[in-house]
């Protein structure tokens, strides 16, 4: 019986890792704020890029600006900030094993009917003394995203994308799909 219980507990904690929510409110709030700002700057850059010269111009904006913005946050805070996906455009945004499993759980949560706009996950990982607070937030596919990530991307836009990203997998999305996720790793000092 004890053996069975132990197995059950181990099984459960593997499926739903402990998130220590109460102890890490500061880290959680800081992650949420950074994602908000990051999302806002991306949106502005994208809109400005589209207005200036349509999707082909905006691709160059995404290509150069998105990683640069992510980098700014990383440098400012000593964190690792970025975007990732299960279907990648830029292989440099590839998820690690933890990020992949969180995004797979996001897909499950979506299938179970959860609202994408508030879908997030956080967890403390690593060994004591070198722990990290990790945070992810789902990125829903909106209508504007379909211009470059949808099922029917126009041929001029697609040619530009394929030139920059020969291994592109990030088309074929529909409105309401999970396009990917923001991901933040904060090193925890003294915790
Ligand atoms: C003008 C074309 C264009 C539009 C519109 C666009 N994207 Fe992208 N997207 C790109 C490009 C180019 C990249 C690769 C950026 C890079 O090199 O990091 C990208 C990368 C991404 C990534 C990073 C993961 C990966 O696959 O490399 C996510 C997440 C993403 N886009 C989400 C969105 C969402 C959500 C929208 C709508 C709000 C959107 N995109 C609209 C062109 C676009």
């Amino acid at each position: 019986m004890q053996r069975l219980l132990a197995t059950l507990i181990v099984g459960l904690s593997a499926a739903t890792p402990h998130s220590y929510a109460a102890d890490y409110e500061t880290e959680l709030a800081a992650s949420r704020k950074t994602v908000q700002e990051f999302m806002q700057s991306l949106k502005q850059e994208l809109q400005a890029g589209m207005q200036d010269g349509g999707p082909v111009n905006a691709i160059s904006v995404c290509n150069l600006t998105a990683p640069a913005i992510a980098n700014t946050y990383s440098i400012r805070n000593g964190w690792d900030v970025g975007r990732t996906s299960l279907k990648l455009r830029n292989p440099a945004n590839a998820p690690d094993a933890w990020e992949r499993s969180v995004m797979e759980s996001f897909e499950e949560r979506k299938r179970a009917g959860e609202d994408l706009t508030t879908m997030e996950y956080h967890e403390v990982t690593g060994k004591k003394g070198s722990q990290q607070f990790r945070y992810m937030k789902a990125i829903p596919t909106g209508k504007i995203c379909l211009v470059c990530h949808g099922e029917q991307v126009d041929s001029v836009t697609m040619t530009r994308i394929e030139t920059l990203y020969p291994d592109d997998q990030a088309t074929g999305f529909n409105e309401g799909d999970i396009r990917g996720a923001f991901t933040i790793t904060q090193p925890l000092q003294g915790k």
Side-chain angles (χ1 to χ4, degrees):
M1 183 61 195
Q2 222 165 15
R3 182 95 166 263
L4 180 66
L5 254 182
T7 314
L8 268 176
I9 290 166
V10 169
L12 267 179
S13 55
T16 49
H18 204 56
S19 69
Y20 309 95
D23 292 340
Y24 295 96
E25 262 166 37
T26 316
E27 285 82 4
L28 179 57
S31 296
R32 285 179 175 148
K33 186 163 172 278
T34 300
V35 161
Q36 279 303 322
E37 286 175 21
F38 187 10
M39 198 155 52
Q40 205 55 41
S41 351
L42 282 173
K43 215 183 232 169
Q44 277 163 8
E45 295 286 348
L46 186 65
Q47 275 163 357
M50 296 276 257
Q51 266 160 17
D52 283 353
V56 176
N57 175 61
I59 290 166
S60 317
V61 174
C62 285
N63 173 236
L64 297 170
T65 319
I69 299 174
N71 209 18
T72 312
Y73 289 111
S74 301
I75 290 167
R76 194 197 294 168
N77 296 315
W79 300 353
D80 198 355
V81 177
R83 293 185 306 167
T84 185
S85 177
L86 293 171
K87 282 172 78 186
L88 286 168
R89 175 144 296 165
N90 186 345
N93 297 327
D96 66 13
W98 184 87
E99 289 165 329
R100 176 172 293 280
S101 77
V102 172
M103 286 190 288
E104 282 163 355
S105 77
F106 283 172
E107 292 291 347
E108 274 170 38
R109 286 163 62 177
K110 178 177 179 282
R111 278 195 288 277
E114 189 174 329
D115 181 0
L116 283 189
T117 56
T118 49
M119 192 179 286
E120 60 175 9
Y121 181 76
H122 50 91
E123 187 182 335
V124 174
T125 62
K127 292 199 190 77
K128 207 147 182 74
S130 60
Q131 287 187 314
Q132 300 147 332
F133 181 85
R134 300 198 70 175
Y135 173 87
M136 289 185 84
K137 185 173 197 323
I139 306 176
T141 309
K143 205 167 192 168
I144 190 184
C145 318
L146 303 181
V147 175
C148 300
H149 295 296
E151 280 179 346
Q152 281 152 346
V153 177
D154 85 59
S155 62
V156 178
T157 308
M158 205 55 229
T159 305
R160 181 75 188 130
I161 290 171
E162 281 168 350
T163 309
L164 286 168
Y165 306 97
D167 300 324
D168 181 45
Q169 298 170 33
T171 54
F173 285 89
N174 290 300
E175 205 175 343
D177 286 345
I178 301 179
R179 171 59 189 89
F182 290 102
T183 178
I184 297 185
T185 304
Q186 301 181 42
L188 291 170
Q189 270 100 23
K191 285 201 180 176

